[in-house]
Amino acid sequence: MEEKNTKGHFIQSIIEDDIKKNKNNGNVTTRFPPEPNGYLHIGHAKSMCLNFNMAEKYNGKCNLRFDDSNPAKEEQKYIDSIVSNVNWLGFDYKEKPLFASDYFDKLYEYAVQLIKIEKAYVCSLSADQTREYRGTLKEPGKNSPYRERSIEENLDLFKKMKQGDFNEGEHVLRAKIDMSSPNINLRDPVIYRILKMAHPRTGNKWNIYPMYDFTHCLSDSIETITHSLCTLEFEDHRPLYDWILNELGTESHPQQIEFARMNINFTVLSKRKLKQLVDKEYVNGWDDPRMPTLEGLRRRGFTPESIKNFCNTIGISKKQSRIDYGLLENSLRNDLNEKAPRRMGVLNPLLIEIENYPEGKTEELDAQNHPQNPEMGTRKVIFSKTIYIEKEDFMEEPPKKFFRLTPDQEVRLRFAYFISLKEIIKDESTGEIIKLICTYDPATRGGNAPDNRKVKGTLHWVSAEENIEADVNLYDRLFIDEDPEYGVEDFTENVNPDSLKILTGCKLEKSLCNAEPGKAYQFERLGYFCLDPKLIPNTSNNKKPVFNRAVTLRDTWAKVVEQKQQEKRKKEKALIKQKAKENQKKAP
RNA sequence: UGGGGCGUCGUCAAGUGGUUAAGACACAGGGUUUUGAUCCCUGGAUUCAGAGGUUCGACUCCUCUCGCCCCAGCCA
């Protein structure tokens, strides 16, 4: 059969062309190269999906390689977290994780080789001087006075750098390219610097560490990577990547291809900014469920499938883009709609007493765990004389199209009975509704009326006599503007002050007492929730379980309400304006 | 003209000289439903940043203009 519709993005086209031309003997090898200086976020997931998918699709492999050439910033804890994230997402890097630091010896030899062919030299300019000599974007730089040192002197100096004979900053090794290049990366870039600090993996073995540009291309080459996929900001580095491999004449010369990094509205995706949110305590750590980090998303209730699906949906291109946050939510809903067992929980409880239900009686009613998938089975829910429903599911003076409980509107309690209102009990001093007295129709057990009478609304509910009490965290977008940088000097000014709402005293159906941490359940009509893995009752100070809402259900009624509110606000604003005008007229 | 890149529906994104300009999400309308969920239909770019040009024919080729992003770490 013809395979016509498999043409994907531009990188895939390049790879397919290469295979056709039998470049690299038709092999495809990619790599995912994180620097262990922070936690992974959803943007990294995009890169992983790209690299691992391409490898898998063309029967190649994808290495997990840590780009750990700067011990000043890197830590073992990040390595551990990253490995765990990659495993969680289910990506297969075949062997073990690889490390650029494993190649430090080879890299050193390559540097020596560059010196020997007079393509590298030890420069003894200070950092400040180096900057001055570099020139600017529009003006060329000038040659370092150390540029013409002899091979012997360079070799000797470089060896001494390695031995630790010099202090940090005294010398660097530079590639000898072109100080007048319009591409600043080619103006004799530093390729080795003295750093007298322990490395998480090589300990105190080295006093010098290679820079990214030198490390990356050679690591790729050592691993015989065929396609080295990276983000757009490295486009300007590609000439350097190629220069190094060409000068060294490496057998393997991978092709660097750049694609646009991911942006999502209402959030930030840069390690630096995420760190600020953590450090300034806008969130509670890197794994706060509001964070777009993989740790955060996981704790929030995102599944690996939903994340991978999202990444595969948004595509690959070279265009700066800002993806709608709703798309991420949607991919979660799609996944969880199929997988998540249904449960009932009342977030803002309103007590109901069923007048004609026998005192002390309880019943176990059957409830489906999934409306479309009978294989997921049923469970028992306890019904009793007093129950809770959601406060928002009752209105004394309802607007049009309000399908829930009202003084003259019967409703169905899901899997249970039809009930109608008898009396509203209010607090005399505040006027607040404290209880509803209702009657039920015993003939409607299970939710079906024998006389076929219809009700417009079906409400979720929980027995007031047997339930579990929990705290529930509701999360909203982290920023108030879709562009966190919009209209402010510092993006933290746009942090949404209501991004976390903690609800206490929520009532959940009893079966949720064996909820698995991190596993998502759909609380019917409310959204998908999971037991916070960090706050499991009896394993920490918390006595009550804490559930996180991963995402709401799509809610067309909420949309209608919101639209009405907005219209109302507009009208009010218009009224205020009109009055102001009238006052102005009166004034003179 | 310092260099490098990018501009196709509200948001992503296919399209590589002849297509009715895919698809997803969002949006609007309708149907099913014991979740106002899910599911199922239906609708929408006379137009591809703009202006010229080449061509029988251009989103696709050429020219110019406009707009946006990245680069002056001994970070990656």
Side-chain angles (χ1 to χ4, degrees):
Chain A
M1 290 298 284
E2 54 178 345
E3 258 193 36
K4 234 187 168 180
N5 299 322
T6 57
K7 255 199 172 170
H9 43 75
F10 77 104
I11 293 179
Q12 197 175 323
S13 306
I14 293 173
I15 292 177
E16 286 187 2
D17 283 350
D18 288 345
I19 292 172
K20 262 182 214 158
K21 286 184 258 170
N22 203 36
K23 189 176 170 185
N24 309 307
N25 295 318
N27 289 326
V28 174
T29 308
T30 56
R31 98 271 93 111
F32 171 61
E35 185 193 10
N37 69 343
Y39 295 93
L40 258 30
H41 54 67
I42 182 101
H44 295 105
K46 174 182 177 181
S47 173
M48 279 190 257
C49 283
L50 209 213
N51 280 293
F52 282 98
N53 286 351
M54 288 300 97
E56 192 188 0
K57 189 171 175 86
Y58 300 103
N59 302 313
K61 65 166 186 168
C62 175
N63 295 342
L64 167 60
R65 180 179 76 233
F66 287 92
D67 226 333
D68 56 348
S69 57
N70 184 5
K73 292 186 176 176
E74 296 149 9
E75 292 182 50
Q76 184 61 38
K77 66 173 182 184
Y78 297 125
I79 296 177
D80 297 339
S81 166
I82 291 169
V83 169
S84 128
N85 288 161
V86 177
N87 291 339
W88 177 62
L89 286 175
F91 290 118
D92 179 13
Y93 41 89
K94 309 291 181 199
E95 307 145 47
K96 279 178 281 185
L98 304 174
F99 295 84
S101 53
D102 290 342
Y103 312 137
F104 281 174
D105 285 306
K106 286 181 188 170
L107 262 24
Y108 180 81
E109 287 310 316
Y110 275 127
V112 168
Q113 200 181 321
L114 266 193
I115 292 173
K116 285 180 178 165
I117 59 173
E118 296 187 88
K119 292 294 182 183
Y121 62 97
V122 172
C123 178
S124 309
L125 251 23
S126 71
D128 285 343
Q129 288 171 315
T130 304
R131 193 178 315 119
E132 282 166 30
Y133 273 76
R134 187 155 35 227
T136 69
L137 292 178
K138 294 189 178 182
E139 297 155 16
K142 51 186 182 188
N143 287 168
S144 160
Y146 304 99
R147 203 173 198 256
E148 300 307 329
R149 282 214 253 234
S150 69
I151 295 176
E152 290 68 32
E153 192 185 0
N154 281 323
L155 252 18
D156 180 55
L157 252 17
F158 188 48
K159 190 176 172 190
K160 284 179 175 153
M161 283 168 64
K162 181 192 176 195
Q163 285 167 187
D165 294 354
F166 305 118
N167 295 319
E168 287 185 13
E170 276 185 61
H171 308 283
V172 293
L173 185 71
R174 292 228 248 168
K176 190 192 279 192
I177 308 178
D178 179 6
M179 286 308 289
S180 64
S181 169
N183 181 346
I184 290 188
N185 294 302
L186 263 20
R187 317 240 261 235
D188 289 10
V190 173
I191 56 178
Y192 263 94
R193 79 289 217 189
I194 298 170
L195 239 35
K196 297 201 161 180
M197 46 181 77
H199 184 282
R201 295 188 53 87
T202 60
N204 292 311
K205 179 176 176 188
W206 296 90
N207 294 297
I208 54 172
Y209 291 92
M211 298 283 291
Y212 164 83
D213 285 304
F214 191 68
T215 310
H216 203 87
C217 56
L218 287 166
S219 300
D220 280 349
S221 171
I222 289 166
E223 293 177 13
T224 62
I225 300 301
T226 57
H227 303 269
S228 179
L229 314 179
C230 63
T231 43
L232 251 27
E233 66 268 28
F234 292 102
E235 274 180 318
D236 288 346
H237 293 244
R238 183 165 12 103
L240 180 53
Y241 185 107
D242 290 331
W243 182 91
I244 293 169
L245 296 183
N246 284 147
E247 293 299 336
L248 258 9
T250 58
E251 202 173 312
S252 156
H253 188 141
Q255 180 184 4
Q256 175 179 308
I257 307 168
E258 309 84 9
F259 62 94
R261 68 178 332 133
M262 173 193 289
N263 293 294
I264 302 179
N265 60 9
F266 295 104
T267 192
V268 289
L269 290 181
S270 90
K271 282 183 194 170
R272 205 195 93 245
K273 285 177 187 164
L274 292 172
K275 187 170 187 306
Q276 270 189 67
L277 293 175
V278 174
D279 290 347
K280 294 184 183 168
E281 299 186 341
Y282 288 102
V283 295
N284 305 312
W286 285 90
D287 63 348
D288 186 297
R290 289 166 290 184
M291 292 281 274
T293 50
L294 294 178
E295 307 261 4
L297 292 168
R298 180 177 186 178
R299 197 170 150 206
R300 171 91 169 247
F302 275 78
T303 56
E305 292 72 24
S306 66
I307 290 171
K308 288 193 277 193
N309 227 316
F310 169 73
C311 292
N312 294 148
T313 313
I314 59 171
I316 301 291
S317 75
K318 298 188 74 154
K319 184 169 68 175
Q320 278 90 36
S321 62
R322 192 160 58 208
I323 286 128
D324 202 297
Y325 187 85
L327 206 56
L328 216 205
E329 292 186 316
N330 199 266
S331 78
L332 214 216
R333 286 193 192 104
N334 271 339
D335 191 37
L336 259 21
N337 177 47
E338 282 185 24
K339 287 182 188 163
R342 312 287 126 124
R343 291 293 183 267
M344 290 197 285
V346 175
L347 267 27
N348 297 299
L350 171 61
L351 186 62
I352 288 197
E353 183 183 319
I354 298 161
E355 196 186 50
N356 57 340
Y357 195 84
E359 191 92 37
K361 177 180 174 179
T362 57
E363 289 178 86
E364 286 194 327
L365 302 168
D366 289 315
Q368 284 179 287
N369 289 331
H370 190 113
Q372 279 84 35
N373 183 1
E375 281 179 23
M376 286 177 79
T378 61
R379 67 189 187 281
K380 300 286 186 190
V381 289
I382 298 160
F383 192 78
S384 56
K385 186 176 177 72
T386 53
I387 60 161
Y388 292 110
I389 65 164
E390 211 67 62
K391 270 184 186 149
E392 291 133 53
D393 283 341
F394 170 73
M395 280 187 106
E396 198 174 355
E397 291 167 31
K400 277 176 197 164
K401 290 194 176 175
F402 183 82
F403 297 157
R404 311 173 186 188
L405 186 65
T406 73
D408 36 38
Q409 194 163 258
E410 189 180 36
V411 293
R412 169 169 39 233
L413 295 175
R414 178 129 237 231
F415 305 123
Y417 296 99
F418 286 13
I419 58 166
S420 355
L421 184 77
K422 184 91 182 291
E423 190 186 347
I424 305 171
I425 311 287
K426 291 182 182 173
D427 182 303
E428 281 177 18
S429 52
T430 63
E432 191 195 354
I433 298 172
I434 47 178
K435 184 160 102 174
L436 261 27
I437 310 285
C438 292
T439 58
Y440 85 117
D441 179 353
T444 56
R445 192 175 199 268
N448 290 305
D451 60 356
N452 253 336
R453 75 178 187 277
K454 299 278 186 257
V455 286
K456 278 193 176 154
T458 299
L459 310 185
H460 61 276
W461 55 275
V462 166
S463 164
E465 287 156 40
E466 296 208 41
N467 61 55
I468 55 176
E469 196 163 312
D471 288 356
V472 173
N473 294 152
L474 302 182
Y475 300 104
D476 198 357
R477 10 208 78 167
L478 237 188
F479 291 88
I480 50 174
D481 197 282
E482 71 159 331
D483 176 6
E485 306 282 354
Y486 182 78
V488 289
E489 282 192 15
D490 188 296
F491 76 102
T492 54
E493 291 171 46
N494 271 332
V495 169
N496 178 6
D498 301 317
S499 59
L500 167 61
K501 263 186 209 140
I502 302 174
L503 264 31
T504 57
C506 304
K507 313 288 186 181
L508 311 179
E509 69 169 75
K510 203 105 189 258
S511 70
L512 247 7
C513 66
N514 352 66
E516 258 177 68
K519 175 180 170 171
Y521 297 87
Q522 186 194 98
F523 290 4
E524 294 211 18
R525 304 211 302 136
L526 295 175
Y528 297 95
F529 297 75
C530 69
L531 219 204
D532 192 323
K534 245 196 175 174
L535 304 166
I536 304 164
N538 304 325
T539 61
S540 67
N541 300 330
N542 283 58
K543 292 202 177 110
K544 275 191 291 180
V546 175
F547 279 82
N548 291 323
R549 183 174 70 192
V551 65
T552 62
L553 253 33
R554 250 172 59 193
D555 189 344
T556 47
W557 173 247
K559 243 181 236 170
V560 171
V561 172
E562 201 177 307
Q563 273 175 12
K564 276 187 185 166
Q565 276 178 347
Q566 274 184 9
E567 276 168 35
K568 200 174 155 190
R569 263 181 245 136
K570 269 186 193 171
K571 275 183 194 170
E572 281 170 359
K573 272 189 186 173
L575 243 167
I576 292 168
K577 268 190 186 173
Q578 206 184 327
K579 277 187 183 171
K581 267 189 187 174
E582 280 168 19
N583 286 342
Q584 263 188 350
K585 278 181 189 171
K586 283 177 195 169

